[in-house]
Amino acid sequence: MSESLLFSPITLRGITSRNRIWVAPMAQYSAPESGVPTDWHLAHLGGMARGGAGLVMTEATAVEPAGRLGSADTGIWEDEQVEAWRRITRFVSDMGATPAIQLAHSGRKGSISRRGIPLPLDEGGWQTVAPSAVAYEGLPEPHALTRDEISKLVTAYADAAGRSVDAGFEVVEIHAAHGYLINEFLSPLGNTRDDEYGGSFENRCRFLLEIVAAVRASLPDTIPLLVRISATDWADDGWTLDDTAALCRLLDGTGVDMMDISSGGMVAHQKITVGPGYQVPFARVAREASALPVVAVGLITEAVQAEQILVDGAADVVMVGRQLLREPHWPYRAATELRSELQWPAAYRSARYRGSIP
């Protein structure tokens, strides 16, 4: 067997992932209103771990009830949820993968049904919040957060990080992308504030920086902290690649260990050009901007494609989403195609691909 970068381990702080195929956070819309993960989440995330991925990340998991996108999202704002997550992280770890959680708040894009329709207040909906009273197209106007409310949300992220450690997660990611609350502070398309949280680039980054500091303080030194951002809004007068490079430099040295580079989601009128690996160039920009390692995402579906992203130096890790929904055991096929080692579970060895290790 030859060595490949894709199947080489990577270490961040005290955690080593067995390979560089990581499961992207993917909304499942399968939790009860309590936000407690269910057997579905155990099967979904556990199946990805059994399938050979190096790291398995949860869907966007709300730090408070109003932080859910819809009422079927998972949460980590109370102890009942911690206990339910614990059995999932235990299984993921037993399968040899690293359990990771993405901490999120939906901001102005929350309180919607599975079909993307706003939930009325008398049908389980809630008042959404944002940096400014600027609505996402087609959704109700959000409440503009006060300074005191901002401070309470920073604490909510820190508390959620502490619960995540209690639940057995070994990596924590802050979701600051896709038009959700933190992204709304970052982008001038969602932030029209005239106080210390709005206006200049530095002011618009303040909320994220405060969350990073609070979350990092809540985590053991051994636990890596990631931040996912949208590299561009794909819209005029919005967040740009230059902003992304500047933010990576700003976060370097704050306790963040890796940047997860996605894009879009800030406005409905975005104009995205989609194709295989379409977001990989954004990861390269971020990787070259600072010393922080980077995750690449965006229609990564083939082993050779994923390997080449790492060989070319565009990223240090790839996250795979839809391909793993279609084929949860894709990492085993990828290892065979790249002539690399990935140990099959004993119960599944009779199904291994020709050319894979015994």
Side-chain angles (χ1 to χ4, degrees):
M1 293 286 179
S2 62
E3 297 214 5
S4 71
L5 279 176
L6 192 62
F7 288 94
S8 64
I10 182 170
T11 299
L12 298 173
R13 291 186 181 258
I15 303 298
T16 297
S17 170
R18 63 181 168 184
N19 62 52
R20 302 180 187 223
I21 299 173
W22 290 7
V23 177
M26 292 178 281
Q28 295 299 292
Y29 309 113
S30 299
E33 192 169 350
S34 63
V36 175
T38 67
D39 289 346
W40 175 265
H41 300 91
L42 174 63
H44 166 64
L45 298 170
M48 300 292 181
R50 184 195 60 208
L55 177 146
V56 177
M57 187 169 287
T58 70
E59 64 191 82
T61 301
V63 300
E64 67 167 12
R68 295 169 297 164
L69 187 61
S71 58
D73 288 351
T74 57
I76 190 75
W77 65 77
E78 62 184 16
D79 292 343
E80 181 186 5
Q81 296 156 344
V82 171
E83 194 61 36
W85 281 120
R86 195 172 285 138
R87 70 178 186 138
I88 296 172
T89 61
R90 185 182 303 116
F91 185 83
V92 169
S93 296
D94 287 347
M95 293 296 101
T98 301
I101 188 169
Q102 185 185 67
L103 303 181
H105 194 296
S106 60
R108 67 180 187 171
K109 295 175 77 174
S111 190
I112 60 173
S113 71
R114 297 186 187 190
R115 294 178 294 169
I117 300 171
L119 287 169
L121 295 179
D122 60 355
E123 295 181 19
W126 57 88
Q127 173 64 60
T128 59
V129 299
S132 306
V134 178
Y136 184 84
E137 292 98 318
L139 296 181
E141 181 178 294
H143 161 69
L145 290 163
T146 65
R147 289 182 181 87
D148 182 59
E149 289 167 338
I150 289 172
S151 178
K152 289 178 180 177
L153 280 168
V154 171
T155 300
Y157 273 91
D159 291 345
R163 291 190 193 95
S164 298
V165 175
D166 291 343
F169 288 104
E170 297 177 359
V171 173
V172 172
E173 176 171 271
I174 296 168
H175 193 358
H178 300 164
Y180 301 131
L181 183 62
I182 300 175
N183 193 186
E184 292 162 15
F185 273 88
L186 294 173
S187 174
L189 295 178
N191 186 345
T192 60
R193 299 178 72 99
D194 59 5
D195 62 3
E196 66 270 33
Y197 290 96
S200 69
F201 171 83
E202 291 76 15
N203 281 357
R204 286 183 281 114
C205 292
R206 189 181 306 277
F207 183 50
L208 172 57
L209 289 172
E210 290 180 353
I211 290 171
V212 165
V215 168
R216 181 73 266 171
S218 296
L219 298 176
D221 289 341
T222 54
I223 300 293
L225 176 61
L226 281 60
V227 174
R228 170 170 271 203
I229 62 170
S230 284
T232 172
D233 286 338
W234 296 94
D236 292 341
D237 302 318
W239 185 266
T240 67
L241 277 177
D242 287 341
D243 292 328
T244 288
L247 179 59
C248 289
R249 290 190 290 269
L250 194 61
L251 290 174
D252 195 358
T254 62
V256 172
D257 299 291
M258 178 174 271
M259 298 298 296
D260 179 1
I261 308 299
S262 187
S263 70
M266 189 63 217
V267 290
H269 62 270
Q270 63 186 5
K271 296 179 180 179
I272 299 181
T273 302
V274 177
Y278 72 104
Q279 301 189 97
V280 173
F282 304 151
R284 183 185 295 278
V285 168
R287 193 169 190 256
E288 293 176 350
S290 77
L292 292 171
V294 165
V295 181
V297 305
L299 293 184
I300 299 170
T301 60
E302 300 297 332
V304 172
Q305 174 199 20
E307 176 73 8
Q308 199 61 47
I309 290 168
L310 305 184
V311 170
D312 290 345
D316 301 272
V317 166
V318 297
M319 272 189 174
V320 181
R322 291 179 180 88
Q323 183 60 30
L324 287 175
L325 293 180
R326 291 186 286 264
E327 192 179 352
H329 294 88
W330 180 80
Y332 294 114
R333 180 165 65 83
T336 304
E337 292 175 3
L338 295 174
R339 298 189 57 77
S340 296
E341 295 188 3
L342 180 60
Q343 187 70 52
W344 283 71
Y348 277 28
R349 285 178 188 168
S350 62
R352 63 186 183 270
Y353 297 105
R354 183 182 298 275
S356 60
I357 64 172

